[in-house]
Amino acid sequence: MKAVDSKTTAARAFVRSLNILLKFARLYGYDHVRTVEQFDSAWQELRAAIPDAADAGLLLGATGSQLLLDGVPLEGSPAEKQFAELLSAAGVGSVQFFSCIAQDELNRFVRAFPTGKAKPAELALQLKAALASTSGIRINEICFVATDSRMKGAGVAAQLAAVTLGGDSDKFNRWLNDPQKLLEMIAAAQGSKGSGALDSATGFTGGPANGPASAGSAESAGASAENGVSANPAARPFQTASPSGLGPGAGPGPGPGRGSLEPSEAEMYRILTALTSFGQIGATGGTGAPGTGPAIHEELSQLPVRAQDILKQALAELAARAPDHKPDQSVLIQLAEHLAIRFALERFERGEVKVNAVRQMLDHMNHEIENLRKILGAHEDKMSDAGLLIESHREILDRQFWAAVPESGKRAVLLSEEAWCIPPKNVQSYVNDLIKKGDVAEAVSILRNYAACAESEDSDGRKKAAAGLSQLAELYAKIDPKLLGEALRHLGLRLSVEQDAESQALASAAFVRFSQQAATNRCFSAMEQALDLVAGVEAQHPGVAQSLRGKMGIEERIPEFVEEALRARHASAGLTNVLKLLPQSTMEQLANRFNRCSLRDDAEHIANLAADLGEEAVQYLRSIVRGGPVAEAAEQVGLLSKLDPQAVEVFLPGRVKNFPRVSQDRVVRQLSSSGAPGRCRILLKLLDHVDPLVMPLVIDEIGITADREALGRLMNIVDGDLPAGAGPFLRVRAAEALGRIHAPESVAALKRIVETKKVFGWAHPQELRVSALQALEKLDPAWAREFVARSGLSKADLTLAPLEMLINSRFVRQRRHTRVRLQKPVVAFSVNLKQNCRMEIRTVSLAGGVATIDRHLPPGTPVQLKMQLGLRHLQATALLRDYRGQGMSFEIVDMNLDERGKLRRLLADNLSPSTAVEETDRPLVASDVIVSR
């Protein structure tokens, strides 16, 4: 935090307090206790802004509705804007508060403001009268006077500062920002030693005609600039014109072809140091202090003669450009940059230094220029404080040097092993220019060469190349996506062997950036290469590889890639290879999509894509089903049963008994939806290991498979050989399953259930006999028709038979029972919960229904339902399922068979063409699977 911040903060606080003080004075008067307290607060903040020992005061200006604090615009509230308008309307340009201000003077200043309505002109008069004899406050009125044309472009803040600082400051600023004035100072320094001797010693010529060149005036210096130095920015300031017309550098000098004014590296650093000293003198003595001129004159006199002449030529060039280009910063900074760029460029073009040496040279010279910028860069400081991004001093020098390099030189450098020396912004600009010209091949060559620098033998080169590549990833993808793979190869190979921590971090960042760009551009070959390279890095640096995988962003895009592969129906080889390299994420996505499929073709397509991913992907599914988390195993088992049903048959039965009821239910549903050929055998092995409430679902799904392998177990269950914990309800489901299998072997067992009698009535419950007879209607229709008359069952008892399953249905699941829309809703209550709920059932079948519920319950919750049927009650055990529209679906998993008979009669009474829900071959959502059995 800068020291000036405390003053600025206190000054802003004073301005706010002053505005509040004037408002209190208008409301309550000057003697009111609140006004007095506010005056004390404003006084304390003013003293904090300008302590007694401070040299500078506080300048509060106003222009229109804008308050200015020491020339800087002050963001304020509407009230402060009105205060600014009041001062402007009164003709008060600014108020200067000096460090010698007394409390009484501030009191007189405040009381000069009227408390009632008054004209603005009266305020100016009252302020003048109140402050006539004060020395701590000065009122600066706005007046129109003749001014220097050079101030025409200056802002309000600069004009206020000029008025405050006085005439000496104006002269100093005019010298500091005018190349002609600097030329005058150099000429004066040379004149003090004798200009003639100096000119003859340095060989400084006047022009092609060898005219006189006086060093004693700015006019002669300007003439020398016009005759001896080209105003073209590309001119060489370190070479003199040759009278013989041989061109620059033909005159005498040190070495062949070198101009007599060309400085050495030590002299160039001496010049830059001197310019920094000028700026320091200006910053500390530029407010009109005596001795400023002599101090600068003395500093100039201490420069070597040749250095003074170099400054003269450079300043003359800047002066020649001044009419058309007004500098936007101090001339000293422009001059320093100009000299540094030209010096580096001359040495580079002569081949005395390589590009990397130029970079080091510019860095060294930038150190001196940076010191100068710190002194004169108040504008940049304000931009930085405001949070605005500006170019670094090094970037400015790099950009200016690159702009001055000839086209042939740029191409040679970018195709050399030292291309890493060129800042990425310059590389991007040059490549874009090539693309605009249509030279794509050249652009590709340059980018390939720049990427190869990531494996440079120079450690600094590798770091800079990696940092540059991070900024150029989008350009590589734009020019040719194949370049992404080449750049990734260089970076990945370097990461495998890199030991330096900094180089490793930079290369990792570039590798991640290119991987992300490849994913964004769907460049699957580059993504495949990136994943292969990470596997190679993992062998040498496991921690680095793990970090790369987490940052590359390819795994996060797996859902998009899977969607793209499924939509295309025939995925490209590159996309499939990328998915193969990420088996875990890919199989998780495919399994989730497989479980949500409603169309059989979609499920088959997903299974085919999963099979294309290879053995490693299938092995991941096996590992999850064998020993993974229960929730994940329940989700993956469906897809694995399609790909490897033998693995599910081996691993699942031993685990499922330890699953919670909800997960067991999920497993059974996924197995049924998979359509795997061997799912019946798997379900049979699960039957003895699942919760009794899940067993009816297992039997139902076994019947849907129509696999004759289940005949023996189903007939045993129908005859009463039940699994542990099961009840008579399971025998009804088994009879329905036998009807769907259409096996003649089961006819005898079903007839035995239907025909067996005891002394008084039938031997088996009516619901079991109804289910058996409905199955016989499919297996032996003639016998069933003949037996109905003596069965003791009415036609209504046999109406709601299980629906026939279509063999080649295009849907994954089909409706199993007729749904009936009740003419009058049935109210049901839960009786087993701590906080029981009320349900209103409108649609129901023999297997479940949909009801509105008065409070939320999580899916999978078992509830004991008590339904009210007039004066009768009907009880059933159900599992709550998913929410469907405004209601929640439920599935009946256990029920007394007499109670089921009551439910059948209720549905038969409500059954009519208008109340029966139309049965069509349509897909079933989760709730349909429950409601439509």
Side-chain angles (χ1 to χ4, degrees):
M1 185 66 69
K2 299 180 180 178
V4 73
D5 288 345
S6 59
K7 175 187 174 182
T8 303
T9 302
R12 291 174 182 267
F14 165 69
V15 172
R16 288 193 296 269
S17 294
L18 177 60
N19 192 35
I20 296 173
L21 173 60
L22 296 176
K23 179 180 178 181
F24 282 1
R26 290 193 300 270
L27 292 174
Y28 310 120
Y30 287 106
D31 298 325
H32 192 275
V33 62
R34 296 190 65 179
T35 307
V36 173
E37 290 177 357
Q38 187 61 34
F39 175 82
D40 293 338
S41 177
W43 169 250
Q44 295 297 328
E45 289 166 349
L46 177 60
R47 295 313 307 174
I50 46 174
D52 294 334
D55 296 331
L58 178 67
L59 180 66
L60 178 62
T63 171
S65 62
Q66 179 67 62
L67 285 177
L68 303 173
L69 189 60
D70 285 339
V72 178
L74 179 66
E75 295 183 4
S77 62
E80 291 169 347
K81 292 181 179 180
Q82 293 177 2
F83 181 54
E85 292 172 353
L86 174 63
L87 293 177
S88 299
V92 177
S94 63
V95 180
Q96 180 76 41
F97 297 92
F98 296 98
S99 59
C100 60
I101 185 174
Q103 187 172 3
D104 179 65
E105 292 175 339
L106 179 63
N107 186 36
R108 292 166 62 183
F109 170 75
V110 171
R111 288 179 178 272
F113 284 84
T115 56
K117 293 184 179 180
K119 295 181 178 180
E122 296 178 3
L123 172 61
L125 296 175
Q126 293 178 16
L127 287 172
K128 283 183 180 180
L131 304 175
S133 59
T134 61
S135 59
I137 304 178
R138 184 172 69 192
I139 302 296
N140 301 316
E141 293 187 82
I142 299 174
C143 58
F144 299 94
V145 296
T147 183
D148 193 339
S149 62
R150 285 170 294 183
M151 293 295 291
K152 181 174 66 174
V156 175
Q159 295 181 27
L160 288 173
V163 170
T164 304
L165 295 175
D168 290 341
S169 173
D170 180 68
K171 291 180 181 179
F172 175 77
N173 289 327
R174 188 164 58 245
W175 169 85
L176 188 63
N177 292 283
D178 192 339
Q180 292 289 356
K181 296 301 179 182
L182 289 174
L183 281 170
E184 290 177 12
M185 294 298 295
I186 297 174
Q190 288 183 330
S192 66
K193 296 182 179 180
S195 61
L198 290 172
D199 284 342
S200 62
T202 61
F204 183 80
T205 61
N210 287 335
S214 170
S217 69
E219 295 176 1
S220 61
S224 299
E226 292 173 4
N227 295 328
V229 180
S230 171
N232 187 347
R236 301 294 186 262
F238 305 142
Q239 297 175 341
T240 59
S242 171
S244 61
L246 297 177
R258 297 179 65 173
S260 60
L261 288 184
E262 182 180 340
S264 66
E265 190 168 343
E267 287 177 328
M268 179 54 61
Y269 293 143
R270 180 69 182 85
I271 293 173
L272 296 179
T273 303
L275 292 177
T276 304
S277 299
F278 298 165
Q280 183 66 43
I281 294 171
T284 57
T287 57
T292 299
I296 295 179
H297 185 275
E298 181 181 356
E299 185 71 27
L300 280 170
S301 301
Q302 292 177 359
L303 280 176
V305 174
R306 185 161 60 176
Q308 294 182 16
D309 287 331
I310 291 169
L311 279 174
K312 284 174 61 177
Q313 286 200 8
L315 283 167
E317 184 176 340
L318 290 178
R321 290 189 299 178
D324 299 326
H325 178 71
K326 184 175 180 180
D328 58 357
Q329 56 181 311
S330 170
V331 169
L332 292 179
I333 297 176
Q334 292 187 62
L335 181 60
E337 292 177 349
H338 179 78
L339 291 171
I341 294 299
R342 288 303 171 192
F343 176 70
L345 186 61
E346 290 288 337
R347 298 197 65 185
F348 170 70
E349 290 184 343
R350 287 197 305 272
E352 295 181 4
V353 293
K354 295 184 178 181
V355 180
N356 57 344
V358 169
R359 207 48 199 277
Q360 296 172 1
M361 188 189 310
L362 287 176
D363 287 346
H364 193 176
M365 290 188 287
N366 177 63
H367 179 71
E368 288 295 337
I369 299 174
E370 188 172 358
N371 292 333
L372 181 59
R373 282 180 176 272
K374 288 179 180 178
I375 296 170
L376 301 178
H379 176 66
E380 292 183 3
D381 290 342
K382 291 177 182 177
M383 291 181 68
S384 297
D385 293 341
L388 300 177
L389 297 177
I390 58 175
E391 278 188 297
S392 68
H393 310 152
R394 180 177 180 178
E395 289 174 342
I396 293 173
L397 277 185
D398 284 337
R399 175 171 48 80
Q400 293 175 350
F401 172 77
W402 182 252
V405 174
E407 195 73 14
S408 59
K410 293 179 180 179
R411 181 181 182 278
V413 172
L414 289 173
L415 291 175
S416 70
E417 295 180 355
E418 297 174 344
W420 53 266
C421 297
I422 307 304
K425 288 184 180 179
N426 297 337
V427 177
Q428 183 171 10
S429 174
Y430 187 81
V431 169
N432 284 332
D433 290 341
L434 289 176
I435 296 301
K436 290 179 182 178
K437 297 175 184 177
D439 196 352
V440 179
E442 185 76 7
V444 170
S445 299
I446 289 173
L447 292 179
R448 280 177 175 160
N449 182 68
Y450 194 87
C453 292
E455 295 188 83
S456 172
E457 295 181 0
D458 187 292
S459 176
D460 191 48
R462 295 196 300 272
K463 295 176 184 177
K464 292 180 179 178
L469 286 171
S470 296
Q471 302 179 42
L472 296 175
E474 189 172 351
L475 179 65
Y476 274 72
K478 173 184 174 184
I479 302 303
D480 187 355
K482 295 181 181 178
L483 292 173
L484 294 172
E486 296 186 25
L488 283 166
R489 178 173 58 83
H490 289 297
L491 291 166
L493 294 176
R494 190 65 223 174
L495 276 172
S496 298
V497 298
E498 186 61 68
Q499 299 299 325
D500 180 71
E502 183 180 359
S503 298
Q504 201 175 77
L506 291 171
S508 297
F511 189 89
V512 167
R513 182 67 186 88
F514 271 78
S515 300
Q516 293 173 342
Q517 192 65 47
T520 301
N521 287 69
R522 296 296 196 273
C523 185
F524 298 115
S525 59
M527 284 190 281
E528 180 184 358
Q529 188 171 22
L531 293 169
D532 282 334
L533 289 166
V534 170
V537 173
E538 192 169 16
Q540 303 296 328
H541 306 288
V544 174
Q546 184 178 1
S547 175
L548 288 175
R549 290 185 188 277
K551 297 176 182 177
M552 288 166 61
I554 295 180
E555 290 197 34
E556 285 75 6
R557 291 178 176 267
I558 288 297
E560 301 174 24
F561 298 155
V562 169
E563 177 68 26
E564 184 172 334
L566 295 176
R567 189 168 54 247
R569 287 291 173 178
H570 298 287
S572 63
L575 175 54
T576 303
N577 291 337
V578 170
L579 297 178
K580 280 183 179 180
L581 294 172
L582 297 169
Q584 177 175 344
S585 301
T586 304
M587 294 306 280
E588 288 175 356
Q589 287 296 320
L590 289 176
N592 289 335
R593 290 173 180 270
F594 184 83
N595 297 339
R596 295 198 303 267
C597 279
S598 60
L599 295 176
R600 179 61 62 190
D601 286 346
D602 291 344
E604 292 293 333
H605 182 47
I606 292 174
N608 291 337
L609 177 59
D612 291 341
L613 298 183
E615 179 62 23
E616 186 177 356
V618 178
Q619 183 59 37
Y620 167 72
L621 293 182
R622 294 192 192 105
S623 66
I624 294 297
V625 173
R626 182 174 61 246
V630 171
E632 293 183 19
E635 293 299 320
Q636 310 289 343
V637 70
L639 184 56
L640 181 60
S641 68
K642 187 70 173 177
L643 300 175
D644 188 0
Q646 291 78 15
V648 177
E649 186 178 350
V650 171
F651 301 137
L652 188 59
R655 289 200 67 193
V656 75
K657 60 185 177 182
N658 297 319
F659 285 9
R661 183 193 303 116
V662 174
S663 298
Q664 291 178 351
D665 177 72
R666 185 68 175 165
V667 165
V668 173
R669 292 181 178 279
Q670 299 312 317
L671 287 172
S672 176
S673 300
S674 68
R679 66 185 187 279
C680 178
R681 186 166 54 255
I682 299 173
L683 291 169
L684 286 171
K685 290 191 174 183
L686 296 182
L687 182 60
D688 293 315
H689 301 289
V690 297
D691 188 278
L693 294 182
V694 181
M695 289 180 183
L697 176 61
V698 176
I699 295 297
D700 193 35
E701 301 299 345
I702 289 175
I704 297 298
T705 65
D707 194 331
R708 295 174 58 87
E709 186 177 354
L711 281 176
R713 187 65 189 275
L714 290 177
M715 287 190 290
N716 290 337
I717 293 175
V718 168
D719 287 335
D721 185 9
L722 300 176
F729 184 74
L730 196 63
R731 299 178 67 189
V732 174
R733 286 296 180 90
E736 293 176 351
L738 287 172
R740 291 193 174 105
I741 293 178
H742 294 278
E745 296 87 340
S746 62
V747 170
L750 293 173
K751 286 183 178 180
R752 188 168 55 252
I753 296 295
V754 173
E755 294 178 319
T756 303
K757 290 185 176 182
K758 58 183 180 178
V759 177
F760 298 102
W762 302 96
H764 297 286
Q766 179 173 317
E767 271 301 301
L768 180 58
R769 294 180 66 243
V770 168
S771 299
L773 186 55
Q774 289 173 337
L776 286 170
E777 286 179 340
K778 301 174 184 178
L779 297 172
D780 192 350
W783 184 90
R785 283 194 300 271
E786 185 273 331
F787 180 74
V788 167
R790 52 190 176 86
S791 66
L793 299 174
S794 66
K795 186 177 180 180
D797 293 332
L798 301 174
T799 51
L800 296 172
L803 298 175
E804 193 69 32
M805 298 292 102
L806 298 179
I807 298 175
N808 296 320
S809 174
R810 61 194 181 99
F811 298 109
V812 171
R813 301 186 69 89
Q814 300 178 56
R815 189 165 295 154
R816 288 98 187 274
H817 282 271
T818 301
R819 294 182 303 170
V820 177
R821 188 176 296 110
L822 301 178
Q823 299 174 1
K824 182 180 180 181
V826 173
V827 177
F829 296 91
S830 65
V831 295
N832 64 317
L833 303 177
K834 291 183 178 179
Q835 183 179 352
N836 289 313
C837 61
R838 180 182 184 274
M839 302 171 66
E840 189 174 272
I841 303 172
R842 296 181 178 273
T843 304
V844 68
S845 73
L846 289 173
V850 178
T852 57
I853 188 169
D854 61 356
R855 69 185 184 90
H856 176 81
L857 291 174
T861 303
V863 292
Q864 296 287 341
L865 293 179
K866 186 176 183 180
M867 306 178 197
Q868 292 183 344
L869 305 177
L871 299 177
R872 297 175 299 164
H873 297 283
L874 190 152
Q875 294 186 354
T877 302
L879 291 179
L880 297 183
R881 297 300 190 187
D882 301 326
Y883 281 92
R884 183 185 184 190
Q886 299 298 320
M888 171 173 263
S889 59
F890 63 92
E891 177 183 9
I892 297 174
V893 292
D894 193 17
M895 197 175 193
N896 181 277
L897 296 188
D898 290 338
E899 299 291 291
R900 194 171 193 260
K902 295 179 185 178
L903 178 61
R904 183 185 293 274
R905 286 191 290 274
L906 172 67
L907 297 179
D909 293 341
N910 284 268
L911 185 62
S912 66
S914 61
T915 58
V917 178
E918 183 181 358
E919 308 302 334
T920 58
D921 181 21
R922 58 177 290 275
L924 300 180
V925 295
S927 56
D928 287 333
V929 175
I930 302 161
V931 175
S932 307
R933 295 175 185 266

